[in-house]
Amino acid sequence: MEMIPGQSFLLGKIDEVARWAQSSSVWPLTMGLACCAIEMMTATAPEYDIARFGSEVFRASPRQADLMIVSGRVSQKMGPIIKRLYDQMADPKWVISMGACASSGGVFDNYAIVQGVDTIVPVDVYVPGCPPTPDGLLYAVNLIQQQIRQGGRGGILARA
Amino acid sequence: MPSSQTPPIGSTALDPTAARPPIDDAIIERVEPSALHARLSALRAEGYTMLLDLGGVDYLERSPRFDVVYHLLKLPSKIATVAEVGHPERRRVLCGVPADRTVLPTVSDLWKSADWAEREVFDLFGITFEGHADLRRIQMPADWEGYPLRKDYPLRGPARERTPRPAFANKSNVRAGTPPSGRTAQALQRQIALARGQQPPGGEEPK
Amino acid sequence: MSTVEIPQPRELEIVERSGNQMVVSMGPQHPSTHGVLQVITEIEGEVISRSSPEIGYLHTGIEKSAENLFWTQASTVIERMDYLSPISNALCYYLAVEKLLGISDRIPPRAQQIRVLLAELHRIASHCVWLGTHGIDVGAISAFFYCFDLRENILDLTEQAGGARMHPNYFRLGGLNGDLPEGFMGRLDALIEKFPGRMGELRHLLQKNPIFQDRTIDVGVLAIEDALEWNATGPVLRGSGVAYDVRKAFPYSGYEQYEFDVPTRTEGDAYARFLVRLDEMDEAMRIIRQVRVQLDTPGPVMVDDTKIAPPPKETIAISMEALIHHFKIVSEGVRVPPGDIYASVEGPRGELGYYVVSNGDNKPWRVRTRPPSMYHTQLLKTMLIGELIADMVVIIGSLDPVFGEVDR
């Protein structure tokens, strides 16, 4: 645990507990767009089971979700909606860009696809693959959990 | 054993529908836009209960420029077993649409399923359908400009047409819209010469 | 340019407002829309009085991308249309192009058998996703886990054969990329053995469940005239009474040699479509068993034509001709004679068709998809009127749309 000079020991400890609690129950938003969404659903299914990492439920309402997994290709019509959903999520929030299409446009370098969802929302973890195996998505969630525990956004002193 | 059907290099057809080999996939006919609605109406009365699909093709250099293709299927309109359905008749109606008058009569009064299909042809090719109840864009956002599936519309869209592509994606035989990432062969020669400390050939500025 | 006025986008108008009338936009982000669908509904209390589905939220420009890729490369993007059963997209596309090339009758039988095997496996996999999500929509969440476990076995098989779980790109012009690897048959046999037990469990979970029956019987009734008028095919049409199956009507890839039934119902409601799809899973396994017997005979999996099929990699170091052919095919692609053709297959959703136009070049000139899901989604304009909001979810699930295909 890192002590920031001037920060009280008690608040630091509470912050550590808060980060541990946040990282152990990251609830994703149901943001399934295309093929990656099916692999995201498979990650909740028995063989991969994202619930054992704390993502017990996928919340449909952005107000109740911590993590937005952008799974699939983002079309021109869908871009503003993703931005709106991201804005509606409460702090602290994280974003995983799942798959090649969400990370960079993927196979589709054309007029219809936004070349990377990081042009619209800030992304914390990128997952390569077309689609990535559910193992890849689980590793991404683990990385988010590490990011939460070791610093970055999160904790009771969290800001956007 | 080389295939005798593979054409030699350099022969491309201006009108593929006229040059097609004899393949038995449907009864094919061509109608003019003015006769389209009457012909399809007659076919519907003849028993073609299903409009399988309605799509557009842009044959850029052919006249008429566009083709709107109607695929029809004769299915019984009552409870039918596999034996009663049998091998239903398929028909393909091609309608050439000239570039200066991209209008066709709608067939959504004959088959309701034509509704969205015609909206898509309008959205992606710019062909309007007279008599359509609600002709607006369906795939692209409502304020999009241009008709993406036309051959003169750049693949990456007008906004990104001239931005560089990754170097590994350079294809010299790509048509319709994607220029190489700004490096012509001349520019490359020039860069090599400069790197070697020699005089760049031609002395022209690369584009 | 056209001299006709382009119509302006029209806003959804509400003619009258009474006390309970509301306009609700469901989607495009919603747990039950099976993808990115927006249904703008006008509701009166709980009853839907008007509905306007809006699509286009997943428009990917696949058809335009395909026009800029070689014939074999185009199937990578085309496979991503119906992402629940990518094999049927690839199969239909290659059937069309092979007809244009004139090599349809020279595809080796083993290649056709493996194509049929994978197509039927993916039909089962697609129906697994349908069943799982349909169950979740209705509230029966357990079915989801059983279905996805079954799907894992099928994806394992696909990964072994083609290299990737979901978009293997295993098919090529003239056959397949390579024969099935060692160990595939053992896994396939294990799946064939596991399947009847698992299907029994799924039927036990849902088919006689009174709550499920209450929610799906007499919900979303589709009459035959409406089904034909709105261009429904596949299980949606067969649930209403017309036994039109492309595998029987226009057999392809050797389907005429297999014995299988086409499940059909006459009620036309969501329960009928549910039963049709469950029976289809059984019929698919019936076909798979017949193909499994045929696969014991070894044979080539690629057409014997050096202008279309790249020679085996081992021969490149020995034969100059093989090297040249390989180089030509990889760097320049294959040239397909000019013409236009419509080919269709029976996908899990309905009749999937491709209208492929070639102008003689090494890239497609136009690949127009006949998307079954788009026409089924259009059905929502009439099917939802008079239904409750809770039934909307059941109806969308029973139509089983996939938005990669609807929007392309």
Side-chain angles (χ1 to χ4, degrees), chain B residues 1-14 16-17 19-21 23-25 28 44 49-61 65 67 69 71 73 75-82 85-90 92 94 99-103 108-117 119-122 124-126 128 130 133-140 142-143 147-155 171 173-178, chain C residues 1-10 37 52-59 61 63-65 67-70 73 99-103 106 224-233 237 240-246 248-251 261-262 264 266 304-308 328 331-332 334-345 351 353 355 357-371 373-375 377-378 381-382 406-408:
Chain B
M1 187 179 53
S3 166
S4 56
Q5 298 242 9
T6 326
I9 295 172
S11 81
T12 56
L14 202 61
T17 55
R20 80 190 297 266
I23 305 168
D24 178 30
D25 60 332
I28 303 178
R44 180 140 182 22
T49 46
M50 192 180 265
L51 174 67
L52 264 185
D53 193 30
L54 194 175
V57 192
D58 180 359
Y59 289 110
L60 201 58
E61 283 149 17
R65 177 175 168 183
D67 247 0
V69 186
H71 299 88
L73 187 66
L75 278 185
S77 55
K78 53 180 178 40
I79 295 178
T81 60
V82 174
V85 169
H87 295 283
E89 235 175 67
R90 269 185 183 157
R92 187 141 86 234
L94 298 118
D100 52 355
R101 189 176 151 70
T102 53
V103 186
S108 50
D109 51 340
L110 300 171
W111 294 278
K112 296 206 191 83
S113 59
D115 189 342
W116 277 11
R119 270 178 70 186
E120 187 173 330
V121 173
F122 164 65
L124 299 174
F125 287 95
T128 47
E130 273 173 345
D134 179 23
L135 196 67
R136 56 197 164 97
R137 288 194 182 266
I138 189 169
Q139 310 279 19
M140 305 308 298
D143 53 356
Y147 302 108
L149 244 61
R150 286 194 178 185
K151 288 287 181 177
D152 48 3
Y153 190 89
L155 169 68
K171 277 218 268 292
N173 56 356
V174 172
R175 250 190 110 170
T178 312
Chain C
M1 278 293 127
S2 171
T3 53
V4 179
E5 231 177 70
I6 308 296
Q8 296 304 312
R10 196 196 63 163
L37 166 71
S52 166
E54 300 289 325
I55 61 173
Y57 290 97
L58 199 57
H59 180 61
E63 294 173 349
K64 182 108 179 159
S65 282
E67 290 171 17
N68 286 271
L69 295 167
F70 294 154
Q73 291 175 329
K99 272 203 197 137
L100 272 181
L101 268 174
I103 56 173
R106 288 197 276 141
I224 293 187
E225 300 77 36
D226 282 338
L228 292 171
E229 182 78 28
W230 289 96
N231 200 356
T233 49
L237 183 60
S240 295
V242 181
Y244 170 56
D245 186 324
V246 183
K248 294 280 195 195
F250 306 102
D261 295 321
V262 175
T264 318
T266 52
D304 182 22
D305 187 333
T306 44
K307 293 277 185 288
I308 296 171
K328 282 285 206 177
S331 67
E332 210 181 70
V334 172
R335 298 194 123 72
V336 172
D340 62 330
I341 188 155
Y342 176 77
S344 63
V345 300
E351 175 175 343
Y355 176 63
V357 179
S358 160
N359 74 334
D361 207 4
N362 57 359
K363 298 188 296 297
W365 182 260
R366 173 86 170 104
V367 178
R368 156 76 195 166
T369 323
R370 190 250 167 216
S373 304
M374 180 167 112
Y375 294 106
T377 312
Q378 214 187 168
K381 292 205 298 191
T382 53
V406 173
D407 294 334
R408 280 156 284 122

